[in-house]
Amino acid sequence: MGLPAKAPGETYFTVLQSDRAGWSLAQAYYSHRIGSDIELCEVVAVIDQNGHVIVLRKLPLKKTDVDVPIVTDWSLLDIADTRGNGQVDVILVADAYEDHWFEVISVQNGSGKTIFWPWLL
């Protein structure tokens, strides 16, 4: 993703676990402010019980304006049965400067498929 091993910023991790789904959802988010710019790097992934990783969203290291960023980043919202069929899905909130929306991703057979977007906030 381009992030140096000794990057000067902070890296934050969030993990949501679903016993029902048999996998965990993880996010690693890096940011470092440099004057009027900010460096960002992010990955959102599902890790199954066997340690296989499915990358759902990624933002390779990018330097952008802190007030008017030209990137989209994601926040984990929930793991839930969004369709009422017993299958849990990943719910993300996307943020792209003035646009914000929900994305629902179905995880099956080793891949993720967006099943709902965008619902602008």
Side-chain angles (χ1 to χ4, degrees), residues 14-62:
T14 303
V15 177
L16 301 177
Q17 186 173 341
S18 172
D19 292 332
R20 192 164 132 192
W23 44 257
S24 297
L25 178 64
Q27 176 182 30
Y29 179 84
Y30 167 84
S31 68
H32 175 67
R33 188 158 178 174
I34 307 168
S36 63
D37 290 331
I38 190 166
E39 288 183 328
L40 301 171
C41 186
E42 176 181 29
V43 64
V44 176
V46 167
I47 301 101
D48 71 16
Q49 295 171 338
N50 297 319
H52 297 110
V53 176
I54 303 165
V55 175
L56 300 178
R57 297 288 182 268
K58 64 183 176 180
L59 172 61
L61 185 63
K62 177 88 172 182

Side-chain angles (χ1 to χ4, degrees), residues 47-88:
I47 301 101
D48 71 16
Q49 295 171 338
N50 297 319
H52 297 110
V53 176
I54 303 165
V55 175
L56 300 178
R57 297 288 182 268
K58 64 183 176 180
L59 172 61
L61 185 63
K62 177 88 172 182
K63 186 175 179 180
T64 187
D65 185 283
V66 73
D67 293 321
V68 186
I70 56 168
V71 298
T72 299
D73 62 2
W74 294 269
S75 299
L76 307 183
L77 184 61
D78 203 354
I79 299 173
D81 180 357
T82 62
R83 297 169 285 166
N85 65 358
Q87 163 97 23
V88 293

